[in-house]
Amino acid sequence: MPINYEQLMALKNLGQKYAYTDREVMLYAYGIGLGADPMDEKELAYVNEGTFTPRPLKVVPTFASVAAWGSSPGEMNLNRVMVVDGERDITFHKPLPSAAKITADSTVLDVFDKGKDKGAVIRHQTVLKDENGEKLATLVASRFARGDGGFGGPSEGQPEPHQVPSRAPDQIVDITTRPDQALVYRLCGDRNPLHSDPEFAKKAGFPRPILHGMCTYGITCRGVLQTYADYDPAAFKQHVARFSSPVYPGETVTMELWKDGNVVSFEAKVKARGVTVIKSGKTVLA
């Protein structure tokens, strides 16, 4: 069934209720690789609450991407086999608490028609709010529906991607993923068998399960945390990235970072295969 532009643009789902505890917060941090060195105090602050010397548990800013897992504007009736994540853009209004009851308001922002054989792009927004109705984070997701183009919708007006500087990177960071990382990260909500079932992955055209794009997104947040944010989650105001190629669990992700004022630009590559996995990355710091 082709996309009905008016119906899709009208989708909204307000007041969706969710709750999380420090367990989910620590699981997410471990799922993106924090705590790999169990003696690293800066990373332990995200995966261990402290005992003899109590300390507040820190929350990775991009935990916002799974805090209300499953929230959406509603059923979009897309060809799901052909849908891939295109981009994620999260604005952080204040640091996330380590446990909370929250609500999620989801709406469709834009639907772009790239052509019958070129697919469609759907941008939708989810606003997370605390119990007092104050905004915690605003998430904008871009989906590329490869099998749903040609419905007669607008083709112009998509936001331009962030341009990274042309100079040599100011910093380069290697972040190693674990062979079992997707099996851990899927416990944060995304049970897509593409990331866990070898048979399913092969039928989808991959030699083995791939890492979740949103796990790679979290890894890029971790890279900025350890370089320019001094592991302070309150330093993050925005984190944006475009997905360009999958990572296989066990591979090393190389982040190239540029800092200009309070803006950190980044790209991520898997040098062993000569592929760029994240493009047009941008973090705005306080």
Side-chain angles (χ1 to χ4, degrees):
M1 181 181 296
I3 285 177
N4 184 311
Y5 178 75
E6 287 75 19
Q7 287 183 4
L8 199 52
M9 285 295 295
L11 282 181
K12 64 173 60 177
N13 195 353
L14 308 181
Q16 302 164 85
K17 294 182 179 180
Y18 293 87
Y20 64 85
T21 68
D22 62 355
R23 180 182 183 276
E24 286 77 29
V25 166
M26 289 186 280
L27 179 62
Y28 177 81
Y30 183 65
I32 64 170
L34 288 167
D37 178 356
M39 295 301 290
D40 185 331
E41 292 288 341
K42 289 184 176 180
E43 295 198 356
L44 273 178
Y46 288 91
V47 293
N48 179 276
E49 63 274 26
T51 303
F52 289 111
T53 304
R55 63 176 173 226
L57 183 70
K58 291 183 177 181
V59 183
V60 180
T62 51
F63 172 72
S65 64
V66 299
W69 177 257
S71 59
S72 76
E75 179 54 57
M76 296 186 184
N77 294 314
L78 304 174
N79 182 348
R80 294 184 179 181
V81 176
M82 299 291 283
V83 175
V84 295
D85 244 332
E87 180 177 347
R88 200 64 94 252
D89 178 348
I90 303 181
T91 297
F92 309 99
H93 304 294
K94 59 182 181 178
L96 294 170
S98 59
K101 293 180 180 179
I102 60 176
T103 58
D105 295 340
S106 299
T107 55
V108 173
L109 296 177
D110 306 289
V111 183
F112 299 103
D113 190 349
K114 298 176 69 68
K116 185 175 181 180
D117 299 320
K118 297 181 179 179
V121 175
I122 300 100
R123 296 176 70 244
H124 57 92
Q125 172 181 280
T126 298
V127 179
L128 304 183
K129 299 177 182 178
D130 64 17
E131 286 188 284
N132 298 318
E134 295 183 7
K135 291 182 180 181
L136 293 169
T138 298
L139 296 71
V140 176
S142 175
R143 296 184 186 182
F144 180 33
R146 295 173 292 169
D148 292 282
F151 57 91
S155 59
E156 303 296 327
Q158 292 188 60
E160 290 295 323
H162 174 67
Q163 298 296 317
V164 302
S166 57
R167 69 179 187 272
D170 299 325
Q171 287 208 51
I172 298 177
V173 178
D174 287 331
I175 300 176
T176 301
T177 65
R178 300 186 309 275
D180 65 344
Q181 193 144 351
L183 298 178
V184 176
Y185 185 84
R186 73 191 297 263
L187 301 180
C188 296
D190 189 346
R191 298 290 188 93
N192 185 337
L194 178 60
H195 309 293
S196 60
D197 187 328
E199 182 181 11
F200 186 95
K202 287 180 180 178
K203 288 187 176 181
F206 297 96
R208 55 195 175 97
I210 62 175
L211 193 62
H212 304 69
M214 290 306 296
C215 182
T216 306
Y217 177 77
I219 287 171
T220 63
C221 177
R222 175 187 168 196
V224 177
L225 269 174
Q226 71 186 59
T227 52
Y228 291 116
D230 194 27
Y231 284 95
D232 179 10
F236 280 68
K237 296 302 178 186
Q238 185 183 22
H239 191 70
V240 185
R242 286 196 167 200
F243 307 107
S244 55
S245 190
V247 174
Y248 290 98
E251 292 185 321
T252 296
V253 175
T254 299
M255 281 188 71
E256 298 179 341
L257 305 103
W258 298 260
K259 189 172 187 297
D260 297 284
N262 67 333
V263 175
V264 177
S265 303
F266 61 87
E267 288 193 338
K269 302 176 180 179
V270 173
K271 289 186 174 179
R273 288 189 289 118
V275 296
T276 299
V277 296
I278 294 289
K279 293 182 176 180
S280 305
K282 180 180 73 172
T283 302
V284 178
L285 300 174

